[in-house]
Amino acid sequence: MKISKIAITTATTAALALGLAACGSGESATEPQAGATASGTGPKFAGQKLTVWRLGAPNEVFEKYMTDLNTKFTQTTGATVDLQWIPWPDAQNKWTTALASGEGPDVTEFGNDQVAAWVAQDALTDITDVVKSTPDFQQIPQNLWSYETIDGKIYAVPWGGGTRAVLYRKDWFEELGISEPKNWDELRAAAKKIVDEKGSDVDGFAFNGGSDANMSLSPFVWSAGGDFAAFEGGKWVGKLTQPGFKEGFQFYTDLVAKDGVSGKSRLTLNSVDISQRFAAEKVGMYVTGGWDIATIEEQSKGKVDAAKMGFFSLPAKDGSGPAPAFQGGNDIAVWKDTDAPELAAEYVKLAAGKEFGGRYAKENGLLPLYPEALAEYANDPAQKAFADTFAVAKGFPADSNWAEANDTKAVLQNAARAVIGGDKDIDTALADANKELEDILNQQ
Amino acid sequence: MAQTPTIARGGNSSAPARGPRNRAARTRRLSPRAIPYLLLVPCLLVIAALLLYPLVQMLQMSFQEVGLRQFRARNPLPAEFVGVDNFRQVLESELFWTSLRNTVLFALVAVTMTLVFGTLVGLLMHKLGPKMSIFVVVGTMAAWAVPPTAQAIIWKWQFDADAGIVNWALNLLPDWLSQAVFGRADWTGQPWLNDTLSIYFVLVVAVVWASFPFIAVSVLAGLKSIPSELYEAARVDGAGAVRTFWKITFPLLRPVFAVLVVLSMIWDFKVFTQLFLLAGGTNMPRDAFNLSVWSYVEAFNPPADMGLGAAIAIVLTVILLLITSVYVRQIVKSEDVR
């Protein structure tokens, strides 16, 4: 303890003596003195500072988790952590700015489906050796590393498995005598009832047409037997014109166009916008993950509390069980431009290790990746919707260009808007989207 | 009246005198001819650093393949020269024609409406008594002073489908009237920011609202300079208000209008902030892109293609320069004739 204090003081003095060097978070991390003074006897990285980006909106639960994690990190390494929260929909732009300016994080959280696109931009550090030499990480089942492994190299560590289910107003369902929908007809009927009873500015089942629209659309098309694209004969072939996809897409767009259970003026909202409307008591159901409960509770200042919210798995069309949902998850990765790759790797090891990795999943409403913790989960009624859905989860086309089709070019969001607005009939819209999707996925 | 002839005349008349006087002065002090240029140097340096350098860099980028890998601050890859490939991509894209159409039509409508409305308000302010005139000037200038971001937010709320005052007001209309004029009586939840046409309708309202005060005040300043005898004479001759405007006010204020048209055209051609915010950012319907928004989306939305973005910006600039220069030439010509 005493020695570490001395080490910190020494390092601070040295840094101050060097003047401005201590101001930039990046610069001070490279200070050689800090490591040298304390080597062997105390924290190796005393006096250094690590910038960590967490994605999402901070709330009490997450803040507490991060405080615990960062305190532990400072205890073991001596380095301090500069924590920054980045809203999910802003993440792509923030990473772009970080690369362009060189002022980025050292460690950042990542959506696992985005890893490939950013490895293509040379944004992440290859941490294969770190992963192979960390015993905890070797316990994470091999099939969960597919998004993170590109050309045999590992660029990120899975932090929590996420799938999505339908978040609904439990109290409204009770009040209006609605039971959890078991098929699409019941879902539509429940949504209509909410709109009828709660007012036309309330969305019974909110249409997501924002950057993460496909998270909401995909269960419908997968459940009807459709898919986005398949890799056939060395190239991507779009499947948007297949009957299964069309059926799911039709139901999803009809929610707005025909059934009127989601407002026509709200075609560009993403799940964060919708959660804000949910907190303002303007939404009955929408597709999202478990993390939204704590945020909504806080945003509504307790008016919409946890007791008023519940999750159910989006049902298959014919009621044969849960519809497949996006098998997503969050990762943690080391930013390529970091000045302290070694320290950053230490952070990843601690955060995604058994103790904090398990807590991360549990407290974020995600599924843990460590087998024992997952086994515990299946018995928890609050998590049942996710555990059930996870069993039938599916992924989007595994290609580094998918992110471009998914949110930058917003291929399906635009198609849905054209159909809802009556500018195109569904067949034309999907044929156009299919061609665009193929062009994007097959570009070099 | 115009400045160009004055400058040209000054330059021509002095040219022959320069030689001898310079030779005499060189040894002792700076030539008085050089002093104006010397005084201009700091200003030119600032312009070069702040305006020309970015322009040149953009021009250079438009001929290169520049993405994040080339642009990143650390360990960048060298940018590859791709010739006119970016421009070919721009011209081949369907988005080019929709954005060009949106840009040009919007500028035409917005410039016309801004000028007509601004002139009318200017004439009104001229007619008003001093107190009322100041009241109107301050009131309209407040709208002009609103930053573009705030303008967009203000109008986005007015046109909000559920809570907006526009739908509320339209619902207050008697049903038969609304039915007769718009073909519908119920405006509840009417979305204004979904289709290209209605997005641009809102955009025109927002832009005209914010830019007519400048026109009005400029026209007012011009009107103050017109001798009142001319109007008295017109009144004696029995000319009405419209005739007076076209025969006296308009010809005398022609140079003012010329400048105002050019300025408005430049502003409205490159409108970005209001459209971007009104229509929902990069996730707006692509059919509603104008050239500025399209350039931004290509350049900065991941995967960033700054070369293509720069090429679009160059195309926009060239179109704007062409239109303005043609217009300015015409003005200058008609000035010369007079």
Side-chain angles (χ1 to χ4, degrees):
Chain A
M1 238 1 221
K2 211 173 182 185
I3 293 171
S4 77
K5 254 186 196 162
I6 294 169
I8 293 170
T9 323
T10 319
T12 318
T13 321
L16 283 175
L18 284 171
L20 283 173
C23 288
S25 59
E27 314 291 336
S28 61
T30 45
E31 286 291 305
Q33 287 95 328
T37 326
S39 75
T41 50
K44 193 177 166 196
F45 301 97
Q48 300 194 21
K49 200 162 121 196
L50 202 69
T51 304
V52 175
W53 282 8
R54 271 295 309 272
L55 303 184
N59 60 42
E60 236 172 90
V61 184
F62 303 166
E63 299 260 28
K64 178 167 185 319
Y65 168 78
M66 289 312 288
T67 312
D68 290 354
L69 170 61
N70 292 343
T71 313
K72 182 78 186 283
F73 182 68
T74 308
Q75 271 171 17
T76 46
T77 61
T80 53
V81 176
D82 175 18
L83 173 68
Q84 292 172 15
W85 293 90
I86 312 288
W88 273 103
D90 292 351
Q92 302 260 352
N93 284 335
K94 285 285 188 178
W95 289 321
T96 304
T97 324
L99 274 190
S101 66
E103 307 266 323
D106 296 301
V107 173
T108 177
E109 188 171 5
F110 241 87
N112 60 3
D113 58 324
Q114 293 160 329
V115 170
W118 288 89
V119 168
Q121 298 286 356
D122 207 14
L124 300 180
T125 305
D126 172 7
I127 50 170
T128 315
D129 295 339
V130 177
V131 170
K132 298 270 185 241
S133 63
T134 307
D136 271 8
F137 292 166
Q138 292 310 307
Q139 293 182 29
I140 299 175
Q142 276 310 308
N143 65 336
L144 294 176
W145 290 89
S146 57
Y147 279 115
E148 293 76 12
T149 313
I150 288 137
D151 294 334
K153 290 180 190 149
I154 299 170
Y155 289 91
V157 179
W159 209 358
T163 183
R164 307 210 175 189
V166 182
L167 178 62
Y168 72 106
R169 280 295 293 265
K170 222 179 192 166
D171 55 331
W172 288 3
F173 271 46
E174 280 160 17
E175 181 192 329
L176 304 175
I178 310 170
S179 54
E180 280 182 19
K182 294 278 175 259
N183 56 45
W184 288 6
D185 288 335
E186 285 182 30
L187 182 77
R188 178 165 40 205
K192 271 190 171 161
K193 194 156 191 181
I194 292 173
V195 176
D196 289 344
E197 302 289 330
K198 292 289 173 187
S200 62
D201 60 335
V202 172
D203 293 334
F205 185 99
F207 175 89
N208 179 332
S211 48
D212 54 358
N214 288 328
M215 308 276 185
S216 197
L217 166 68
S218 55
F220 292 104
V221 298
W222 282 332
S223 157
D227 205 348
F228 291 82
F231 198 70
E232 290 165 0
K235 68 182 179 72
W236 286 100
V237 180
K239 297 286 181 193
L240 307 185
T241 48
Q242 306 280 318
F245 192 95
K246 186 184 159 186
E247 191 180 353
F249 188 79
Q250 176 103 52
F251 181 83
Y252 190 60
T253 48
D254 276 353
L255 287 173
V256 184
K258 217 190 258 161
D259 311 323
V261 299
S262 185
K264 260 193 178 153
S265 63
R266 295 180 285 276
L267 300 183
T268 56
L269 304 192
N270 58 37
S271 63
V272 173
D273 304 327
I274 297 173
S275 76
Q276 286 165 359
R277 283 179 49 79
F278 193 98
E281 310 207 59
K282 295 287 182 198
V283 174
M285 298 180 263
Y286 75 107
V287 176
T288 188
W291 52 84
D292 266 1
I293 287 199
T295 314
I296 288 170
E297 214 174 358
E298 204 167 292
Q299 263 188 354
S300 67
K301 306 217 164 59
K303 253 184 16 205
V304 182
D305 59 22
K308 293 183 178 166
M309 291 182 266
F311 273 102
F312 62 83
S313 312
L314 194 82
K317 186 185 182 219
D318 53 4
S320 59
F326 168 63
Q327 185 239 321
N330 299 345
D331 289 358
I332 182 166
V334 176
W335 196 244
K336 180 89 172 199
D337 287 344
T338 179
D339 285 319
E342 210 186 323
L343 181 61
E346 289 301 319
Y347 192 86
V348 170
K349 276 192 214 166
L350 180 70
K354 228 173 176 177
E355 184 193 347
F356 281 100
R359 271 187 65 188
Y360 168 85
K362 204 166 178 181
E363 291 167 19
N364 262 310
L366 295 167
L367 292 167
L369 303 163
Y370 292 96
E372 304 124 60
L374 189 60
E376 262 172 49
Y377 241 57
N379 304 321
D380 181 353
Q383 298 294 341
K384 197 175 170 309
F386 295 106
D388 287 353
T389 312
F390 207 53
V392 288
K394 289 183 76 159
F396 292 126
D399 190 89
S400 62
N401 290 319
W402 168 251
E404 186 180 343
N406 182 43
D407 54 66
T408 311
K409 293 273 157 67
V411 175
L412 284 153
Q413 289 91 322
N414 276 290
R417 270 177 238 153
V419 170
I420 292 169
D423 303 331
K424 287 180 188 172
D425 65 69
I426 192 159
D427 290 310
T428 324
L430 285 178
D432 292 351
N434 200 47
K435 186 182 166 298
E436 197 182 356
L437 180 66
E438 282 182 354
D439 287 347
I440 293 174
L441 289 180
N442 288 319
Q443 73 191 339
Q444 286 313 308
Chain B
M1 190 115 6
Q3 286 190 319
T4 346
T6 329
I7 292 169
R9 217 175 298 128
N12 286 342
S13 62
S14 60
R18 191 179 287 156
R21 210 185 294 174
N22 253 3
R23 221 172 293 137
R26 193 171 291 153
T27 44
R28 261 160 275 153
R29 58 176 196 276
L30 272 171
S31 137
R33 290 260 142 237
I35 288 177
Y37 296 100
L38 207 66
L39 290 174
L40 278 176
V41 164
C43 179
L44 288 175
L45 282 180
V46 170
I47 289 178
L50 295 180
L51 292 175
L52 295 181
Y53 173 70
L55 270 177
V56 168
Q57 200 194 26
M58 188 178 72
L59 193 65
Q60 184 194 358
M61 273 163 69
S62 69
F63 291 101
Q64 289 173 335
E65 161 100 55
V66 190
L68 261 187
R69 295 172 67 100
Q70 287 79 25
F71 202 74
R72 63 190 303 167
R74 307 193 190 183
N75 314 317
L77 293 178
E80 199 185 321
F81 181 79
V82 292
V84 293
D85 197 50
N86 287 326
F87 291 95
R88 197 179 44 77
Q89 265 190 64
V90 172
L91 296 178
E92 274 176 5
S93 169
E94 274 172 46
L95 280 177
F96 174 68
W97 298 106
T98 44
S99 335
L100 183 66
R101 177 200 68 195
N102 292 343
T103 311
V104 172
L105 286 181
F106 167 75
L108 274 181
V109 173
V111 168
T112 317
M113 289 186 58
T114 312
L115 278 165
V116 169
F117 197 55
T119 311
L120 289 176
V121 174
L123 290 170
L124 171 74
M125 292 195 291
H126 193 52
K127 284 263 189 283
L128 290 173
K131 274 193 192 143
M132 213 44 204
S133 180
I134 285 182
F135 178 72
V136 176
V137 168
V138 171
T140 50
M141 287 314 267
W144 191 59
V146 174
T149 317
Q151 288 165 25
I153 305 294
I154 289 170
W155 286 101
K156 200 173 178 146
W157 274 108
Q158 316 284 317
F159 281 92
D160 188 83
D162 299 313
I165 195 170
V166 173
N167 281 349
W168 175 80
L170 285 168
N171 263 337
L172 284 188
L173 289 177
D175 281 358
W176 61 267
L177 183 66
S178 178
Q179 196 75 43
V181 179
F182 304 105
R184 59 185 295 177
D186 182 25
W187 290 91
T188 315
Q190 162 70 14
W192 289 94
L193 301 168
N194 277 3
D195 312 326
T196 309
L197 201 62
S198 57
I199 288 175
Y200 274 87
F201 172 73
V202 178
L203 183 66
V204 166
V205 172
V207 167
V208 170
W209 175 79
S211 47
F212 86 85
F214 177 74
I215 309 288
V217 171
S218 308
V219 168
L220 178 65
L223 284 171
K224 298 259 188 229
S225 71
I226 299 178
S228 55
E229 296 85 34
L230 289 173
Y231 288 107
E232 277 161 28
R235 206 165 38 233
V236 171
D237 289 347
V242 176
R243 206 180 154 84
T244 316
F245 176 80
W246 287 113
K247 289 290 172 191
I248 299 176
T249 315
F250 185 71
L252 285 174
L253 291 188
R254 210 189 197 102
V256 175
F257 281 117
V259 172
L260 291 178
V261 167
V262 171
L263 283 178
S264 298
M265 216 141 57
I266 293 175
W267 289 334
D268 291 348
F269 246 89
K270 57 179 199 176
V271 64
F272 173 82
T273 319
Q274 293 95 325
L275 176 61
F276 190 78
L277 292 173
L278 278 174
T282 51
N283 191 24
M284 75 165 81
R286 271 174 300 170
D287 196 43
F289 279 1
N290 68 4
L291 286 170
S292 321
V293 171
W294 185 36
S295 163
Y296 174 89
V297 166
E298 292 293 355
F300 299 111
N301 235 15
D305 188 344
M306 290 161 195
L308 185 56
I312 300 169
I314 296 273
V315 170
L316 173 62
T317 313
V318 168
I319 293 174
L320 191 51
L321 280 179
L322 276 178
I323 296 181
T324 334
S325 68
V326 166
Y327 185 76
V328 169
R329 271 183 66 96
Q330 226 157 20
I331 301 287
V332 171
K333 257 191 218 154
S334 62
E335 289 289 317
D336 283 349
V337 171
R338 259 188 329 124

